[in-house]
Amino acid sequence: MRKRRLGAAIVSALFLILLAACGGGNSSDTKGAAGETPAAANESNETAASSNGNGANSSGEEASASTGGETGERTIEYLGQSYTVPARVERIVITGSMEAHEDALVLDVHPVGAVTYAGKFPERFAPITDQAESIGEKAEPNFETILKLQPDVILGTTKFPEEVKEQLSKIATLIPVSHIATDWEANLMLLGELTGKQDLAKQVIDKYKAEVEAAKPALVEKLKGKKVVAIRIRSGQLFIYPQTVFVNPILYGDLGLDVPEAVAAAKAQEAISVEQLAAMNPDYLFLQFSEDENKDTQNALQDVLDNPIVQAVTAVKEGNVFVNLIDPLSEGGPAWSRTEFLKAMLEQLAK
């Protein structure tokens, strides 16, 4: 069963079959989501993913495993789906799922293959990518490289198109990791189960929840009755998210702040104009801007802040705009993002 034990000849044969399945003439860096940028791939599928078996489970369901000692395999249960994996998982490839990358950082898991941005591993992932090979950009898995790495398990994303999931599943067991922020506990427990670090995963979850309770008095007192909005700038546009996506579960779930109407009405990542931002008129505004997500609009952040319409927004007038409280490529939902965002909020607001 374990694919990494295949001989070189079998691996080569599998690769030829895989290429044929992908269309024969495609290059080795076949894109999984044609025409989409790595940063923004399939964000609009957030709501749809939350309604299927591989998507959201807001109950925080933990992964569980049963072993099959004689076969050297075991079954992992994750968000209502069962996955067969080796009894001992040693070679993990992460593709498409930045949530899984963040969880690997928290649990000190070193994948053999990981996602790059513009051909490089993000600096914050340096502690876990020391043994990793690039397997392509966020939405562009390189099937040939992944095959050569002979993974035990591939951690993908629920945002991948079905055809990409199908091709990856031919290489090794594919587990599509949920990108819905409210699944953060199940995601972390999944990686813990795969790597034997369940206890550490539980400790991380419990520690974060304790930190939320400790932070609430100061933060809620500061923000109670205020309109708080988090916005991401991508490709020069402003985007808001549903209350279960990005850092919104921290603001409106963990801290219990009031949900603005525009956020409550959002069904997925939604582009808004500066006029719509002005109409929302937040008292506190959290902006996230990455140059990697704005390659053709490098001045987008300053253009937004300098816009006369935006300058009339209460948060801007009162100096309550916070840019990149955490790494601008952070997903917002996973344990790493939650812990760092909460800590940064305390540092900036509870003074």
Side-chain angles (χ1 to χ4, degrees):
M1 165 69 187
R2 297 184 65 177
K3 297 177 178 59
R4 69 187 186 86
R5 293 179 177 173
L6 293 174
I10 297 176
V11 171
S12 299
L14 279 177
F15 178 55
L16 292 175
I17 293 171
L18 179 59
L19 283 183
C22 293
N26 290 347
S27 64
S28 63
D29 60 347
T30 304
K31 292 186 179 182
E36 294 178 335
T37 60
N42 291 329
E43 287 284 2
S44 61
N45 291 331
E46 287 147 356
T47 304
S50 67
S51 63
N52 64 40
N54 291 336
N57 182 339
S58 59
S59 66
E61 174 188 352
E62 295 180 352
S64 62
S66 61
T67 59
E70 292 184 3
T71 63
E73 298 174 355
R74 57 181 167 138
T75 299
I76 292 283
E77 300 292 336
Y78 169 66
L79 296 179
Q81 298 291 318
S82 298
Y83 302 92
T84 300
V85 302
R88 178 169 178 153
V89 173
E90 298 178 329
R91 299 179 65 80
I92 294 176
V93 162
I94 302 176
T95 176
S97 176
M98 303 314 295
E99 291 80 8
H101 278 77
E102 290 196 19
D103 288 343
L105 188 61
V106 169
L107 298 182
D108 191 32
V109 172
H110 298 242
V112 295
V115 169
T116 52
Y117 276 86
K120 299 184 296 184
F121 293 122
E123 185 177 347
R124 69 187 174 115
F125 293 131
I128 60 162
T129 54
D130 55 324
Q131 304 167 24
E133 185 171 341
S134 169
I135 48 76
E137 301 291 293
K138 182 177 178 181
E140 302 171 344
N142 186 315
F143 298 121
E144 178 182 3
T145 300
I146 295 172
L147 180 62
K148 288 179 179 178
L149 288 172
Q150 302 178 53
D152 294 322
V153 173
I154 300 172
L155 297 180
T157 174
T158 48
K159 292 185 285 187
F160 272 155
E162 288 304 316
E163 58 269 24
V164 174
K165 295 178 186 177
E166 181 180 351
Q167 297 306 326
L168 290 171
S169 295
K170 293 178 181 179
I171 301 174
T173 296
L174 169 69
I175 304 180
V177 176
S178 174
H179 65 286
I180 302 300
T182 47
D183 283 336
W184 72 280
E185 293 181 54
N187 289 352
L188 190 65
M189 287 305 302
L190 166 66
L191 189 59
E193 292 283 0
L194 286 171
T195 59
K197 296 188 175 186
Q198 302 97 315
D199 290 344
L200 177 56
K202 290 177 181 177
Q203 290 171 18
V204 170
I205 292 170
D206 291 343
K207 184 173 184 291
Y208 171 73
K209 290 181 177 179
E211 289 172 347
V212 168
E213 292 306 310
K216 269 185 178 180
L219 291 177
V220 173
E221 180 181 355
K222 186 89 170 184
L223 301 173
K224 185 178 181 180
K226 302 293 185 180
K227 188 178 292 186
V228 182
V229 175
I231 287 178
R232 201 170 199 158
I233 302 176
R234 283 177 158 170
S235 300
Q237 288 187 289
L238 301 174
F239 288 93
I240 60 170
Y241 296 84
Q243 64 189 80
T244 59
V245 179
F246 191 37
V247 298
N248 288 348
I250 306 171
L251 298 173
Y252 314 124
D254 297 342
L255 297 177
L257 303 179
D258 295 335
V259 183
E261 290 182 10
V263 172
K267 301 300 182 185
Q269 174 179 264
E270 184 177 304
I272 63 170
S273 64
V274 291
E275 289 80 9
Q276 288 173 302
L277 173 59
M280 292 170 62
N281 195 30
D283 298 293
Y284 286 82
L285 179 61
F286 296 100
L287 283 176
Q288 195 159 324
F289 173 85
S290 168
E291 292 182 356
D292 287 325
E293 295 184 330
N294 294 271
K295 292 186 181 299
D296 297 324
T297 54
Q298 296 285 291
N299 296 323
L301 173 62
Q302 198 58 49
D303 290 344
V304 168
L305 295 176
D306 289 343
N307 190 298
I309 296 175
V310 176
Q311 288 183 345
V313 171
T314 299
V316 178
K317 290 191 297 183
E318 296 185 359
N320 292 325
V321 177
F322 302 93
V323 178
N324 293 342
L325 275 191
I326 56 176
D327 188 286
L329 290 175
S330 302
E331 291 302 304
W336 187 91
S337 287
R338 287 173 182 260
T339 301
E340 294 301 315
F341 190 78
L342 183 68
K343 181 170 67 175
M345 285 186 70
L346 279 169
E347 292 174 353
Q348 294 296 320
L349 300 179
K351 296 178 178 179

